[in-house]
Amino acid sequence: MAGLEDLYREIILDHYRSPRNRGELPTPPAQRVEGFNPLCGDEVVLFVDLHDGTVADIKVSGQGCSISQSSGSMMTAAVKGKSVAEARALIRRFKGLMSIHEQALGGEADQLDEDGADGAGADDPDVKLGDLEALQGVVKFPVRIKCATLSWNTLTQALDEAPA
Amino acid sequence: MTAVEAGRKAATPLDVARVQADFPILARRVHGQRLVYLDSAASSQKPRAVLDAMARFYETSNANIHRGTYQLAVESTEAYEAARRAVARFVGAPDPRGLVFTKNVTEAINLVAASWGGANLKAGDAVVLTEVEHHANLVPWLMLKDKLGIELRFVPMGEDYTLDLTHLDRLLDGAKLMAFTAMSNVLGTLTPIRRITDAAHAAGALVLVDGAQLVPHVPTDIAALDVDFFGFTGHKMCGPTGIGAMWARPELLEAMPPFLGGGEMIRDVRLDGFTTAEVPTKFEAGTMPFAEAVGLHAAVEYLGALGMDAVREHEVSLTAYALRALKERHGDDITIYGPSEPAMRGGALSFTYKGIHPHDVSQVLDQKGICVRAGHHCAKPLLRRLGVGATTRASFYVYNDESDVDALVEGLSDADDLFSL
Ligand SMILES: Cc1ncc(COP(=O)(O)O)c(C=O)c1O
């Protein structure tokens, strides 16, 4: 049986209590993208400043549970300064981590983009998840997976909408 | 002796221990803990009487209704129509011909919006709602606004979580319909139905009441309330899913165009047209949930035998206990969104606790076997008005007792231990 300690790892609580990269960026140059979880009313607002093919700066605001907040915080820390290609690879890897179990549990699979978990990169060992591994426990709590993936889907949207 | 038999003897207070024994699900354990079910406002649990009635029906009388001349079909049709009469009686409906079975209250309200609204409203006509409505009594009207260009007006919520009726007459001026919930599923606030109904009728508007949260918990007398449309939903009142009802004045139903078209709702069909059946069948297209109707019949008999006065009394005293216990232990750490006076409310308690997100609160409570709802409770405009994205909601019913409240009070301290900064 999954216990609460599987879900609320110390590192997750740490990001929840002291979120990284919280706030806003001036738009433009940054883009502002909103994501919603209609189920629970969680919302995330991402400010992404793309520069020469890299995520030059990223901030997150909005409201949500500890899982969506900490996932967003860890995500910003992981992608800041990375190239867009690296950021996309990380998104694929993270969503792969979340979706495999989701399907196994018969939950409604999170919509994967075309190059989602089944595509290249979903389990690319070269893409390191680091602290993000701590979110693995979320898959034992299927209703919370959407909380964990909210900011990642929003980042995908920001990258997709970015002017070429 | 079951609780039902005990209740028949006298209008005595609810014997909760006996009621609990009537609900098989309460015997199960969750995460190794006693099940503490505090989400009856979302859907109630079912007594054995309801489960047995449905099983017995399937085992002995099952056949499609209104269609065959053979014995099973006769019994099945009789059971369905007996359910209609019993349910109508339970809510004090003046005429069972006005009771249309639907899938749930959402469909019941959609029926009125599409059929009555479609035939009687045009661009610029006003429908008055309130700020506290469940999406079920908001979205169908927003759809009509998009389709026909009707105007929607809203009775605001006052500072004490009751409806602010100060400008009711002005809001009703020229309106065609006033539609409101009898009890907020978020705040628990009971609506002064008769007062609003009288004002609406004086202004020439019809009245629709969403009784989803009232009928399960408070003695309901539609005739005395004098409303024109009254919807409710079976699964919140000890009945099965898949059945609800809209009671409407039969003369209104007679004048309304059909809602869904298909089998059963017709008198005659030719290749170039159709005529409709008499009410209420006119609004019951296709094979209806007749086994569920049998289950709902058993549910209203069960509640009737407990005595709805006793049910209400039990919930008022349990809600009073909960309000006291939560405040005593958690003080200013807990914000309860709803009236503080138990007599003015039902047993749905929405709250936020120490800035901990309701998802996290409910996850911690789940580990202790406690089921509460976390989220926006299908009332997003109200939550926005309250200035919160989500709340945790505990709601009580006939099988809950003070030990359930104590578990909740204790469980919140666990959430505090885990999440406090
Ligand atoms: C006040 C109110 N109205 C409408 C509904 C919708 O009920 P149903 O989903 O059974 O149609 C609910 C419950 O979810 C409710 O609490």
Side-chain angles (χ1 to χ4, degrees):
Chain A
M1 188 189 73
L4 280 184
E5 60 285 357
D6 290 315
L7 185 62
Y8 298 121
R9 304 265 174 82
E10 202 41 55
I11 181 94
I12 293 177
L13 292 172
D14 176 58
H15 276 266
Y16 168 64
R17 291 177 186 133
S18 356
R20 325 292 199 263
N21 302 305
R22 183 132 185 107
E24 306 190 352
L25 292 173
T27 52
Q31 287 168 261
R32 179 182 188 280
V33 185
E34 289 178 17
F36 290 97
N37 181 346
L39 203 67
C40 57
D42 282 4
E43 67 180 68
V44 39
V45 187
L46 278 188
F47 294 83
V48 187
D49 190 358
L50 296 175
H51 223 71
D52 294 336
T54 64
V55 182
D57 203 356
I58 180 166
K59 291 227 187 275
V60 58
S61 71
Q63 53 176 4
C65 67
S66 61
I67 300 302
S68 73
Q69 297 286 293
S70 62
S71 181
S73 168
M74 289 183 188
M75 180 190 79
T76 59
V79 300
K80 192 167 159 177
K82 293 267 164 51
S83 74
V84 168
E86 286 169 323
R88 282 195 188 274
L90 193 63
I91 294 171
R92 276 195 295 277
R93 185 95 159 82
F94 182 73
K95 293 208 57 185
L97 184 75
M98 291 293 135
S99 68
I100 293 161
H101 301 263
E102 190 171 12
Q103 280 153 8
L105 282 160
E108 186 195 331
D110 213 14
Q111 280 306 307
L112 292 163
D113 26 12
E114 280 93 76
D115 53 357
D118 301 326
D123 32 51
D124 182 348
D126 288 341
V127 181
K128 294 283 180 282
L129 282 170
D131 284 357
L132 289 164
E133 300 268 11
L135 283 163
Q136 192 157 22
V138 172
V139 297
K140 294 181 190 156
F141 298 82
V143 294
R144 306 298 295 273
I145 291 175
K146 283 209 169 13
C147 308
T149 52
L150 178 62
S151 35
W152 297 81
N153 290 334
T154 311
L155 179 58
T156 300
Q157 196 188 331
L159 297 179
D160 289 349
E161 285 175 6
Chain B
M1 186 163 61
T2 66
V4 171
E5 288 154 358
R8 264 190 205 117
K9 295 245 148 63
T12 43
L14 220 54
D15 182 343
V16 182
R18 228 184 240 137
V19 171
Q20 287 166 347
D22 291 339
F23 287 77
I25 203 171
L26 297 178
R28 79 159 277 185
R29 298 179 83 74
V30 174
H31 306 310
Q33 310 274 333
R34 176 174 81 88
L35 176 65
V36 178
Y37 189 75
L38 296 177
D39 198 20
S40 297
S43 199
S44 78
Q45 295 302 346
K46 321 302 172 199
R48 187 174 300 286
V50 168
L51 307 176
D52 286 353
M54 291 177 75
R56 205 177 318 116
F57 175 80
Y58 277 125
E59 285 166 6
T60 62
S61 307
N62 182 53
N64 209 332
I65 52 169
H66 296 309
R67 290 184 191 180
T69 49
Y70 52 88
Q71 182 61 25
L72 292 189
V74 169
E75 286 176 21
S76 181
T77 304
E78 272 173 8
Y80 183 70
E81 292 304 327
R84 191 192 310 278
R85 290 190 297 274
V87 173
R89 210 179 312 120
F90 182 73
V91 292
D95 185 343
R97 276 194 320 138
L99 194 117
V100 177
F101 280 126
T102 61
K103 177 171 69 174
N104 50 35
V105 70
T106 301
E107 187 181 84
I109 297 169
N110 274 274
L111 183 161
V112 177
S115 168
W116 179 85
N120 293 282
L121 298 176
K122 56 180 189 320
D125 282 349
V127 169
V128 185
L129 308 171
T130 83
E131 264 184 358
V132 308
E133 297 308 311
H134 187 283
H135 295 165
N137 193 33
L138 174 56
V139 179
W141 306 110
L142 288 170
M143 285 164 65
L144 268 194
K145 181 181 166 198
D146 287 347
K147 188 169 167 202
L148 302 176
I150 62 167
E151 177 199 350
L152 298 183
R153 302 175 187 163
F154 295 92
V155 175
M157 183 192 74
E159 288 317 308
D160 57 354
Y161 304 108
T162 64
L163 291 174
D164 177 0
L165 300 177
T166 321
H167 303 295
L168 181 63
D169 288 336
R170 209 181 64 211
L171 287 165
L172 283 167
D173 187 27
K176 290 284 195 323
L177 177 76
M178 166 90 216
F180 57 95
T181 184
M183 178 183 135
S184 163
N185 63 311
V186 176
L187 308 168
T189 313
L190 287 162
T191 312
I193 303 173
R194 186 61 204 247
R195 173 160 172 222
I196 296 177
T197 300
D198 289 348
H201 284 164
L206 292 180
V207 170
L208 179 151
V209 169
D210 171 357
Q213 295 292 346
L214 187 77
V215 175
H217 306 285
V218 181
T220 303
D221 186 348
I222 294 178
L225 294 172
D226 198 32
V227 302
D228 305 295
F229 300 101
F230 189 100
F232 52 104
T233 204
H235 67 98
K236 294 186 202 284
M237 50 190 284
C238 295
T241 55
I243 189 152
M246 174 56 77
W247 182 84
R249 293 189 193 278
E251 60 273 25
L252 287 170
L253 289 177
E254 272 153 13
M256 282 157 57
F259 173 45
L260 301 174
E264 215 56 60
M265 48 72 71
I266 47 89
R267 176 163 38 217
D268 193 17
V269 185
R270 293 163 190 278
L271 290 181
D272 61 354
F274 71 97
T275 49
T276 55
E278 300 288 303
V279 300
T281 312
K282 175 181 167 183
F283 292 96
E284 297 184 346
T287 295
M288 293 298 288
F290 48 83
E292 286 73 10
V294 168
L296 186 57
H297 186 171
V300 300
E301 282 195 344
Y302 181 80
L303 289 172
L306 293 183
M308 286 306 293
D309 287 313
V311 169
R312 172 67 182 148
E313 251 171 59
H314 167 68
E315 290 184 28
V316 170
S317 78
L318 191 58
T319 303
Y321 177 79
L323 290 168
R324 221 168 37 238
L326 286 166
K327 275 291 162 199
E328 250 169 48
R329 168 74 77 88
H330 299 293
D332 291 340
D333 290 339
I334 189 165
T335 306
I336 296 171
Y337 301 93
S340 51
E341 172 53 52
M344 292 177 62
R345 54 152 40 254
L349 290 185
S350 283
F351 60 87
T352 50
Y353 177 68
K354 278 203 137 181
I356 305 172
H357 193 279
H359 259 179
D360 294 317
V361 171
S362 66
Q363 193 85 60
V364 173
L365 294 176
D366 173 60
Q367 287 294 311
K368 308 194 82 183
I370 305 170
C371 314
V372 294
R373 173 92 185 260
H376 54 62
H377 317 295
C378 298
K380 290 197 88 168
L382 173 57
L383 278 259
R384 241 174 239 129
R385 167 75 173 71
L386 295 171
V388 290
T391 69
T392 306
R393 181 186 69 190
S395 53
F396 309 126
Y397 207 14
V398 289
Y399 32 72
N400 293 119
D401 60 20
E402 294 185 356
S403 74
D404 296 337
V405 174
D406 294 341
L408 172 69
V409 169
E410 201 57 44
L412 289 180
S413 294
D414 289 6
D416 185 23
D417 292 343
L418 188 59
F419 288 103
S420 277
L421 301 179

